[in-house]
Amino acid sequence: MTVSLYGMTLAELETWLVAKGEPKYRALQIYTWLYQKRITSVQQMTNLPKALRDRLAYETTMETMEEVTRQVAKDGTIKFLFALHDGTTIETVIMRHDYGNSVCVSTQVGCKMGCEFCASTLGGLIRNLAVSEIVEQLVVCQHLLDKTNERVSSVVLMGSGEPLDNYDASLKFVDIVTESEGLRIGQRHITVSTVGLVPAIYRLADELRGITLAVSLHAGDDDTRGRMMPVNKAYDIATLLEACHYYYDKTGRRLTFEYALIRDHNDHLEDAQKLATLLSTLPCHVNIIPVNYVPERNLTRTSKNQIQAFVQHLQHLGINATVRREMGGDIAAACGQLRAEHSRESV
Ligand code: SAH
């Protein structure tokens, strides 16, 4: 059976090599080739003996995904649709900000969380991604950016899937890309976004990684949130916020709350009021997202004026809130849209 070189931490690669009778120090050499020199074939690892290169070529894999489509938006946003070895597809996005390039990776093929406004969950969960498939998304983006001497400066686990429902792979991904001998992405520049899987939030807090936790809240009361997000039936808002306080107390990291505004669902000023009350004692930032259109979901976006009124009301109530700048508006940049489009075309 082959293993993916992109699926191992440096320590795991050392163990793997030692078990094969190879010297431990080869792991660091391989890591440097993979993540700093960023080669695309083991035969390019010229400081390894030929026998080891051949062994790696035979027993390991590197890139396994195939690019199906790539869309480039006017603002520079690049969206990839990748086909995995089993023919399933995932999306990855590069976003250009003033402060650098941020990459949005997927953690699952599809999603089982069932949020009413989200395209990723339309066909349910197909499978978890392997760590290597999450790392590969980042590597492919970095390879593209290398052509213009740019680097990935931040990563968000906000593509399709629920990262905390694929917990081990998501965490190992963080460990691999933050490795000081590897891509060296700072923990502070990684954001994990969750629907609010409470036990996993406690677990993540206890791991004491310095990553940012973003929680998809989307409503200020349980009735509204329960209609939008089935997960709220398992973990209501009070239970979720208790876990969020714990995360802050443990890590000292300010949380982000995502709030997609949907006309007449959750966009009235009294919703802002409820939200402000809920978050009044938690150091956090609220990211307001004008809902993205999904043809299968008949949801209307809140008007520009109402978005402004909603945000101003939150700010007036002492909440740190901003409207997420829309990226890639002229391409299908919202979660799951490209994949959904692709599967509509293939039926
Ligand atoms: N499962 C995780 C991460 C993936 S979704 C989570 O739920 O947080 C990333 C973010 O996009 C979430 O906040 C999600 O609620 C939001 N989102 C999904 N569909 C959307 C849509 N149609 N418009 C705006 N935001 C959407």
Side-chain angles (χ1 to χ4, degrees), residues 117-118 158-159 161-162 193-195 216 218 258 289 291-292 294 335:
F117 44 84
C118 181
M158 267 186 206
E162 166 53 42
S193 178
T194 178
V195 287
S216 300
H218 301 317
E258 291 151 290
I289 318 166
V291 76
N292 281 305
V294 179
C335 336

Side-chain angles (χ1 to χ4, degrees), residues 104-105 107-108 111 113 115-120 157-164 192-196 214-218 229 257-262 289-294 297 299 301 324 334-337:
C104 174
V105 295
T107 53
Q108 297 181 315
C111 183
M113 295 301 148
C115 301
E116 66 152 350
F117 44 84
C118 181
S120 298
L157 285 80
M158 267 186 206
S160 66
E162 166 53 42
L164 299 186
V192 171
S193 178
T194 178
V195 287
V215 176
S216 300
L217 194 54
H218 301 317
M229 305 177 70
F257 289 95
E258 291 151 290
Y259 195 105
L261 278 180
I262 307 172
I289 318 166
V291 76
N292 281 305
Y293 178 65
V294 179
R297 314 292 204 197
L299 300 169
R301 195 173 253 220
R324 182 189 288 177
C335 336
Q337 285 189 348

Side-chain angles (χ1 to χ4, degrees), residues 24-320:
K24 189 173 150 186
Y25 69 87
R26 295 282 182 215
L28 187 54
Q29 292 178 318
I30 295 173
Y31 237 67
T32 310
W33 285 111
L34 290 177
Y35 297 114
Q36 293 192 1
K37 298 187 184 135
R38 298 196 274 275
I39 46 81
T40 51
S41 141
V42 289
Q43 295 304 344
Q44 291 168 283
M45 301 183 179
T46 48
N47 58 355
L48 303 187
K50 176 82 170 64
L52 178 55
R53 276 184 272 154
D54 288 345
R55 163 172 246 165
L56 292 175
Y58 191 67
E59 297 182 18
T60 68
T61 56
M62 289 180 60
E63 282 179 32
T64 57
M65 310 188 310
E66 238 174 79
E67 187 178 319
V68 181
T69 48
R70 182 191 302 190
Q71 299 186 339
V72 183
K74 292 195 188 85
D75 61 13
T77 302
I78 303 172
K79 180 146 189 170
F80 298 96
L81 183 73
F82 293 116
L84 309 178
H85 64 84
D86 57 359
T88 57
T89 53
I90 51 162
E91 297 168 27
T92 308
V93 186
I94 305 179
M95 291 162 288
R96 316 313 197 113
H97 302 281
D98 328 329
Y99 55 83
N101 297 301
S102 147
V103 170
C104 174
V105 295
S106 294
T107 53
Q108 297 181 315
V109 183
C111 183
K112 66 175 183 216
M113 295 301 148
C115 301
E116 66 152 350
F117 44 84
C118 181
S120 298
T121 202
L122 287 168
L125 174 69
I126 314 288
R127 69 168 172 92
N128 275 335
L129 291 187
V131 195
S132 56
E133 291 169 323
I134 313 177
V135 174
E136 260 187 69
Q137 295 174 59
L138 201 58
V139 168
V140 171
C141 293
Q142 183 56 62
H143 282 169
L144 179 68
L145 292 169
D146 279 337
K147 294 185 178 156
T148 45
N149 276 325
E150 293 175 85
R151 69 178 295 253
V152 175
S153 48
S154 58
V155 181
V156 293
L157 285 80
M158 267 186 206
S160 66
E162 166 53 42
L164 299 186
D165 187 41
N166 187 10
Y167 187 96
D168 293 338
S170 297
L171 246 249
K172 195 183 279 189
F173 163 80
V174 170
D175 289 344
I176 291 173
V177 304
T178 54
E179 176 60 63
S180 61
E181 307 296 340
L183 285 171
R184 283 203 206 113
I185 309 266
Q187 285 194 350
R188 289 170 176 270
H189 301 290
I190 300 184
T191 300
V192 171
S193 178
T194 178
V195 287
L197 298 182
V198 165
I201 293 176
Y202 282 105
R203 198 174 152 195
L204 192 63
D206 290 335
E207 309 257 10
L208 291 175
R209 302 292 199 291
I211 52 184
T212 301
L213 184 65
V215 176
S216 300
L217 194 54
H218 301 317
D221 63 82
D222 283 317
D223 278 351
T224 311
R225 191 165 191 268
R227 276 195 298 274
M228 299 167 70
M229 305 177 70
V231 70
N232 201 69
K233 298 187 179 78
Y235 308 110
D236 63 13
I237 293 179
T239 310
L240 173 58
L241 289 181
E242 214 175 297
C244 293
H245 276 276
Y246 183 84
Y247 190 87
Y248 178 76
D249 292 342
K250 267 276 174 163
T251 63
R253 302 284 298 153
R254 190 177 75 149
L255 279 86
T256 295
F257 289 95
E258 291 151 290
Y259 195 105
L261 278 180
I262 307 172
R263 184 177 295 180
D264 294 333
H265 273 58
N266 62 355
D267 67 345
H268 295 168
L269 292 189
E270 62 188 35
D271 296 304
Q273 178 79 49
K274 287 182 199 162
L275 184 63
T277 307
L278 287 176
L279 301 181
S280 61
T281 58
L282 184 60
C284 66
H285 173 254
V286 175
N287 217 337
I288 300 292
I289 318 166
V291 76
N292 281 305
Y293 178 65
V294 179
E296 285 83 351
R297 314 292 204 197
N298 196 17
L299 300 169
T300 316
R301 195 173 253 220
T302 300
S303 70
K304 283 217 165 78
N305 284 345
Q306 182 61 16
I307 294 174
Q308 275 319 314
F310 192 93
V311 172
Q312 276 165 12
H313 198 52
L314 280 178
Q315 289 166 342
H316 170 74
L317 295 169
I319 300 293
N320 181 333

